[in-house]
Amino acid sequence: MNRGELVVLEGAEGVGKTTQARRLVAELTRSGLGCVHVREPGGTSLGEAIRDVLLRPFRTIAPTAEALLFMASRAQLVSEKIQPALVAGNVVVLDRFFLSTYAYQIHGRGLPANEVRAANHLAVGDLAPTVTIVLHLPDNDGLARAGKRSGHDYMEQLGDEFHARVGAAFDDFATPDWQRRHPECGPIVSVDAGGSPDDVFRRIVAAIGVYAPRLGVELTAALEQEVAK
């Protein structure tokens, strides 16, 4: 049995990661592929409890404690859900992974990069995504979208300067030089999150197809069937 594929959707607040992840899972499942959809922080009983601690509004958490809580959730998710699914040959679609830690805790919070990377390696070992799709919108557009959902969570309330640093970090992650210096992150593709959800999904499918051709073929066929209806 072939090992499965790990596809990660990343980006700053309000870029549409969760919407696109759900559609990706639906299309892959409709194609007959085994698919597991998880999110960070969360995805396990421990992870969901940590998520509640981390994202509840109007709470103060020391940056180091914040980073380590994310790592604890991640370590449990990899052990309990991601690695078993990959070994079984399934596709794992993950809403956020460790690029978010690099963006929010290293660039946003200013924590030491080498120490955060070491902690991340402890949490995930040598696991790297097949491909990470970074959805991009201007910072203010994403935050405006996020605020319409149900008010801002803890991370969304951290101010314009913080989110500008995070957005700039995600832009940097997609550059060849950054990826060369961070092989643990695997391939990273920046995708424009503007336009209709259908337009964005087509761009995601094209990006996935470069690094996971089997998934690209299945997803493209699914899109063609929808157009033919």
Side-chain angles (χ1 to χ4, degrees):
M1 180 181 295
N2 293 328
R3 186 172 174 82
E5 310 279 8
L6 174 57
V7 178
V8 180
L9 272 70
E10 282 279 12
E13 306 301 331
V15 294
K17 296 179 304 301
T18 301
T19 297
Q20 294 297 336
R22 287 171 179 161
R23 180 166 182 188
L24 187 55
V25 170
E27 297 293 357
L28 290 169
T29 301
R30 191 163 25 246
S31 298
L33 298 174
C35 194
V36 175
H37 181 199
V38 286
R39 66 178 181 177
E40 275 212 336
T44 66
S45 295
L46 175 62
E48 292 298 325
I50 291 172
R51 183 182 184 89
D52 181 64
V53 170
L54 281 167
L55 299 186
R56 190 179 302 171
F58 310 112
R59 173 173 286 175
T60 300
I61 304 175
T64 304
E66 179 182 281
L68 291 173
L69 284 168
F70 277 111
M71 297 299 183
S73 176
R74 180 169 303 147
Q76 187 68 22
L77 183 63
V78 168
S79 175
E80 185 177 327
K81 294 289 184 68
I82 295 176
Q83 287 286 23
L86 294 176
V87 169
N90 294 319
V91 181
V92 178
V93 176
L94 180 51
D95 186 342
R96 293 200 182 279
F97 201 33
F98 48 81
L99 277 191
S100 283
T101 299
Y102 288 23
Y104 286 80
Q105 278 70 54
I106 294 175
H107 292 265
R109 294 298 202 185
L111 293 179
N114 288 342
E115 294 179 18
V116 172
R117 290 175 72 182
N120 186 71
H121 186 265
L122 180 63
V124 307
D126 293 325
L127 177 65
T130 304
V131 60
T132 297
I133 306 298
V134 177
L135 297 176
H136 174 76
L137 278 177
D139 298 335
N140 291 337
D141 291 355
L143 286 172
R145 277 191 188 180
K148 291 177 181 177
R149 293 193 299 247
S150 57
H152 292 302
D153 66 24
Y154 168 71
M155 297 303 293
E156 293 165 356
Q157 292 174 341
L158 292 175
D160 291 345
E161 290 185 5
F162 176 88
H163 288 288
R165 292 194 298 272
V166 169
F170 277 118
D171 289 343
D172 193 29
F173 297 161
T175 63
D177 180 63
W178 194 92
Q179 292 183 53
R180 179 184 56 78
R181 291 183 286 108
H182 297 80
E184 75 276 12
C185 296
I188 302 165
V189 182
S190 180
V191 169
D192 181 6
S196 73
D198 285 348
D199 290 340
V200 177
F201 188 70
R202 291 187 187 95
R203 294 172 200 144
I204 291 172
V205 169
I208 290 173
V210 174
Y211 297 97
R214 178 176 64 112
L215 302 188
V217 169
E218 295 290 349
L219 290 165
T220 300
L223 288 175
E224 290 173 350
Q225 289 175 2
E226 289 181 10
V227 171
K229 289 180 180 178

